[in-house]
């Protein structure tokens, strides 16, 4: 599945809930369910500081695909992080760099992705794309 | 309790409160960040712009004179509000932050030398930390910090112990924006003045909730913001003792602050104009005095009493909820109730509470050193004004129960 296809799938899942509370309950379940990152990876270099909640992200490059691990201290942020990772993980650097993540607009949760929320999510997306760029540069020897 | 105070009538003066947020009646509990303006204030501002908007102090024409007179009357009104000795001790600024930057820069330039010390407390707002750090970088002075205890109080003996012959200024909040603690500023001034050390009081959170008397406190500087006092954003006040202000160089250069300009030398205007470079925010100044007059007509003492009752009610209510921990339990508090819900990140709690139409603030409240000291990522903060009601506090309690159901 492409990133966009996964995105559509996620948006469709959220459209099933007509109540905001159900959406959040689902997100909270996602957030609670996933031990997203190894404690050892929660080091300052991997920390994205938002005013409100913190996000950690690290990445590995294997067989031409990027795998991200991320976590947050706030459970709603963590749920959103897991949605993002579900879409972008196991894709090539090019796919990630060019990914259209506007599917999140259709989940009814897009407030969280506004830069003014300062929960670290917006910076996390930026950081993920930087990782992709760096992996690509390393591979093509342009770094 | 609300029978003695006609809160329904008060609310009718604040049209912004009558709106739905996410299909629910708005509950506005973010007053420590910004308060709302009564109609009297917005009317006075539009009256200014519709009838006598004009540049002040420079014109002989009629409108300019009307505007100038309004501005200078406003200065007198503000001076009376805080009981300043002279109205020229009232300097209009953009807010508390600019007022503190003015002092840190100008006082710093005149009096700070390498090795000098500036004494602050752990609970200061970033606006009363960063300007001093910048002054330290410029002058070689250093910061000393008075610790708080776990209730959010400071200990006067500890403060006294940190004063030294190197201390040049003490800068403290009158009321903590994160915890609501009222600091014993009068006693702090007494201690500092024993060694002739001037004291700046950051009154951003105190001006709306306490009767401020700068002569009684004895402080040398007092700063506050209009937008936390039912007036517009962009206007604030620095009170400074005449004698000290006269010994400080101007902060910014420009129009109004000069007496005579030539390219060789410029002589500066007298107080307060020396510190008011450029065209002032006359509309904001009119708004600020109108807000002060509005408080006086409403009965500031009753306002204060009612707000204390609200805080008491909220404190008791939240204390009775299992899993809620109050952050900041000082003996003397006003306006602010900070809390945490067990096993719930403040961001998550704030997100859910917002869905109930309730505006609270979550995060570190621009007091990161304090949060670090308390070892918490931040708090959920409800902050009150006299247009709030106990019924609204009950709604908040209900929303907290929902947060617990969903998240705890
Ligand atoms: C205690 C305190 N000091 C200073 C400030 C800064 O005020 P302003 O942003 O109006 O300059 C605030 C506002 O949050 C405050 O609460």
């Amino acid at each position: 599945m492409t990133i966009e296809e996964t995105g559509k799938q996620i948006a469709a899942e959220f459209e099933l809930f007509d109540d905001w509370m159900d959406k959040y309950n689902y997100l909270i379940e996602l957030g609670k369910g996933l031990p997203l990152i190894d404690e050892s990876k929660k080091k300052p270099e991997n920390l994205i500081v938002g005013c409100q909640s913190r996000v950690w992200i690290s990445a590995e490059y294997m067989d031409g695909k990027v795998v991200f691990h991320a976590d947050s201290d706030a459970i709603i942020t963590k749920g959103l992080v897991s949605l993002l990772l579900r879409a972008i993980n196991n894709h090539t650097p090019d796919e990630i760099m060019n990914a259209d993540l506007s599917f999140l607009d259709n989940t009814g949760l897009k407030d969280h992705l506004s830069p003014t929320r300062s929960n670290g999510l917006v910076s996390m997306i930026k950081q993920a794309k930087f990782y992709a760029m760096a992996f690509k540069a390393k591979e093509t020897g342009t770094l | 309790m609300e029978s003695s105070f006609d809160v329904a009538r008060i609310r009718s003066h604040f049209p912004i409160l009558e709106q739905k947020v996410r299909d629910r009646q708005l509950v506005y509990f973010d007053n420590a960040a910004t308060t709302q303006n009564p109609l009297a204030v917005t009317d006075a501002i539009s009256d200014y712009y519709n009838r006598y908007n004009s540049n002040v102090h420079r014109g002989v024409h009629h409108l300019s004179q009307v505007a100038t007179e309004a501005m200078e009357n406003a200065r007198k009104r503000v001076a009376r509000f805080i009981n300043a000795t002279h109205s020229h001790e009232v300097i209009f600024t953009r807010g508390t932050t600019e007022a503190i930057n003015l002092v840190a820069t100008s006082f710093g330039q005149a009096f700070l030398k390498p090795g000098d010390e500036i004494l602050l407390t752990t609970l200061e707002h970033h606006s009363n930390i960063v300007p001093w750090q910048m002054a330290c970088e410029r002058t070689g002075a250093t910061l000393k910090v008075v610790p708080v205890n776990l209730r959010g109080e400071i200990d006067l003996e500890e403060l006294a112990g940190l004063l030294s012959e190197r201390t040049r200024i003490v800068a403290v909040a009158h009321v903590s924006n994160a915890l609501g603690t009222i600091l014993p500023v009068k006693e702090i001034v007494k201690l500092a003045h024993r060694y002739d050390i001037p004291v700046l009081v950051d009154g951003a959170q105190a001006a709306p909730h306490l009767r401020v008397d700068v002569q009684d406190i004895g402080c040398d500087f007092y700063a506050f913001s209009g937008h936390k006092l039912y007036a517009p954003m962009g206007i604030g006040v620095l009170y400074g003792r005449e004698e000290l202000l006269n010994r400080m160089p101007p902060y910014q250069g420009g129009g109004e602050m000069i007496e005579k300009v030539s390219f060789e030398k410029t002589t500066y205007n007298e107080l307060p104009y020396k510190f008011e470079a450029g065209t002032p925010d006359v509309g904001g100044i009119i708004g600020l005095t109108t807000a002060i007059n509005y408080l006086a007509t409403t009965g500031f003492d009753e306002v204060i009493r009612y707000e204390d009752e609200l805080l008491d009610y909220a404190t008791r209510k939240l204390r009775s909820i299992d899993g809620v921990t109050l952050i900041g339990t000082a003996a003397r508090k006003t306006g602010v109730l900070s809390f945490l819900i067990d096993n719930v990140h403040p961001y998550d709690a704030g997100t859910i509470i917002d869905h109930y139409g309730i505006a609270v603030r979550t995060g570190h409240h621009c007091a990161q050193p304090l949060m670090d000291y308390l070892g918490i990522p931040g708090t959920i903060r409800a902050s009150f004004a006299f247009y709030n009601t106990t019924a609204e506090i009950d709604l908040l309690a209900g929303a907290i129960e929902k947060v617990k159901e969903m998240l705890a």
Side-chain angles (χ1 to χ4, degrees), chain B residues 97-150:
Chain B
T97 303
E98 191 180 59
I100 297 173
N101 273 282
L102 188 162
V103 178
T105 304
S106 198
F107 178 92
Q109 193 185 326
F111 299 110
L112 291 178
K113 286 182 216 55
D116 284 350
E117 291 171 5
I118 299 162
L119 190 58
L120 312 176
T121 80
T122 305
L123 54 67
E124 299 310 317
H125 187 280
H126 295 169
S127 290
N128 197 28
I129 300 174
V130 183
W132 299 112
Q133 283 174 328
M134 291 166 70
C136 287
E137 273 166 31
R138 285 191 298 267
T139 63
T142 56
L143 293 186
K144 291 268 165 208
V145 184
V146 185
V148 296
N149 65 23
L150 288 172

Side-chain angles (χ1 to χ4, degrees), chain B residues 32-273:
Chain B
T34 284
T35 52
Q36 302 303 343
N37 292 220
L39 279 169
V41 169
T42 51
D43 284 351
I45 294 166
S46 77
D47 188 50
Y48 166 73
Y49 282 108
N50 291 331
R51 290 201 313 113
Y52 58 104
N53 175 43
S54 183
N55 212 323
V56 287
H57 297 306
R58 294 165 205 177
V60 290
H61 66 79
H62 175 72
L63 284 191
S64 174
Q65 285 177 20
V66 176
T68 306
E69 200 174 304
M71 173 167 162
E72 292 313 316
N73 283 337
R75 198 189 303 277
K76 285 182 198 147
R77 182 65 187 93
V78 171
R80 252 199 304 137
F81 178 63
I82 56 172
N83 196 30
T85 317
H86 309 289
S87 62
H88 58 251
E89 294 177 319
V90 169
I91 292 156
F92 290 116
T93 65
R94 284 197 299 123
T96 306
T97 303
E98 191 180 59
I100 297 173
N101 273 282
L102 188 162
V103 178
T105 304
S106 198
F107 178 92
Q109 193 185 326
F111 299 110
L112 291 178
K113 286 182 216 55
D116 284 350
E117 291 171 5
I118 299 162
L119 190 58
L120 312 176
T121 80
T122 305
L123 54 67
E124 299 310 317
H125 187 280
H126 295 169
S127 290
N128 197 28
I129 300 174
V130 183
W132 299 112
Q133 283 174 328
M134 291 166 70
C136 287
E137 273 166 31
R138 285 191 298 267
T139 63
T142 56
L143 293 186
K144 291 268 165 208
V145 184
V146 185
V148 296
N149 65 23
L150 288 172
R151 288 191 301 279
E153 299 161 317
I154 67 145
D155 181 66
L156 282 171
E157 271 175 39
E158 243 169 320
L159 183 141
L162 283 163
L163 291 170
S164 81
E165 70 277 11
R166 321 210 75 168
T167 314
R168 284 295 157 269
I169 188 162
V170 177
V172 294
H174 195 170
V175 171
S176 154
N177 69 305
L179 306 179
T181 314
I182 302 175
L183 274 75
V185 284
K186 190 172 171 177
E187 288 71 23
I188 292 172
V189 169
K190 259 197 205 123
L191 288 170
H193 280 189
R194 257 194 233 157
Y195 307 100
D196 291 324
I197 301 164
V199 178
L200 173 138
V201 178
D202 169 356
Q205 296 299 337
H209 301 299
L210 303 174
R211 277 214 179 264
V212 172
D213 180 334
V214 291
Q215 292 189 63
D216 181 57
I217 295 169
C219 57
D220 302 85
F221 302 102
Y222 197 95
F224 62 97
S225 298
H227 71 99
K228 297 184 199 281
L229 190 66
Y230 315 102
M233 294 180 172
I235 189 67
V237 169
L238 172 68
Y239 157 82
R241 228 159 31 75
E242 175 182 34
E243 183 258 334
L244 260 176
L245 289 178
N246 275 330
R247 289 161 61 202
M248 286 157 49
Y251 175 47
Q252 294 176 327
E256 207 64 68
M257 52 74 71
I258 38 81
E259 183 181 74
K260 182 172 184 302
V261 176
S262 73
F263 282 107
E264 288 71 44
K265 180 161 177 59
T266 294
T267 46
Y268 302 122
N269 205 337
E270 300 184 333
L271 290 177
Y273 310 111

Side-chain angles (χ1 to χ4, degrees), chain A residues 21 51-52 75-76 112 119, chain B residues 345 347-348 356 362 364 407:
Chain A
M21 212 187 281
C51 220
Q52 294 268 353
I75 198 93
I76 289 173
H112 291 280
N119 54 11
Chain B
H345 192 283
Y347 180 81
D348 294 326
Y356 286 89
T362 58
H364 55 57
L407 285 156

Side-chain angles (χ1 to χ4, degrees), chain A residues 11-111:
Chain A
E13 286 167 21
F14 273 86
E15 267 158 30
L16 292 178
F17 305 118
D18 28 46
D19 192 351
W20 68 267
M21 212 187 281
D22 294 335
K23 282 186 196 191
Y24 277 101
N25 279 329
Y26 180 52
L27 206 55
I28 290 162
E29 283 318 305
L30 290 177
K32 277 185 183 161
L34 290 174
L36 290 175
I37 202 169
D38 218 55
E39 279 302 317
S40 67
K41 294 252 169 70
K42 283 193 181 176
K43 48 191 177 193
E45 306 91 272
N46 292 334
L47 176 64
I48 292 164
V49 186
C51 220
Q52 294 268 353
S53 57
R54 299 184 293 172
V55 175
W56 292 266
I57 181 167
S58 70
E60 289 168 280
Y61 193 43
M62 281 179 305
D63 307 328
K65 306 246 165 104
V66 189
V67 179
F68 294 100
H69 303 274
D71 201 351
S72 172
D73 55 354
I75 198 93
I76 289 173
T77 309
K78 197 167 162 179
L80 284 158
V81 165
S82 78
L83 289 180
L84 275 169
L85 294 197
R86 187 173 134 200
I88 64 174
N89 261 350
N90 287 306
H91 284 276
T92 65
D94 270 325
E95 287 167 343
I96 292 164
M97 278 155 63
N98 301 319
D100 175 7
L101 297 172
S102 60
F103 69 86
L104 287 153
D105 291 359
N106 303 324
T107 56
L109 304 164
K110 74 168 175 189
D111 284 4

Side-chain angles (χ1 to χ4, degrees), chain B residues 366-379:
Chain B
C366 293
Q368 265 174 329
L370 175 63
M371 297 299 140
D372 290 347
Y373 167 79
L374 296 171
I376 54 180
T379 74

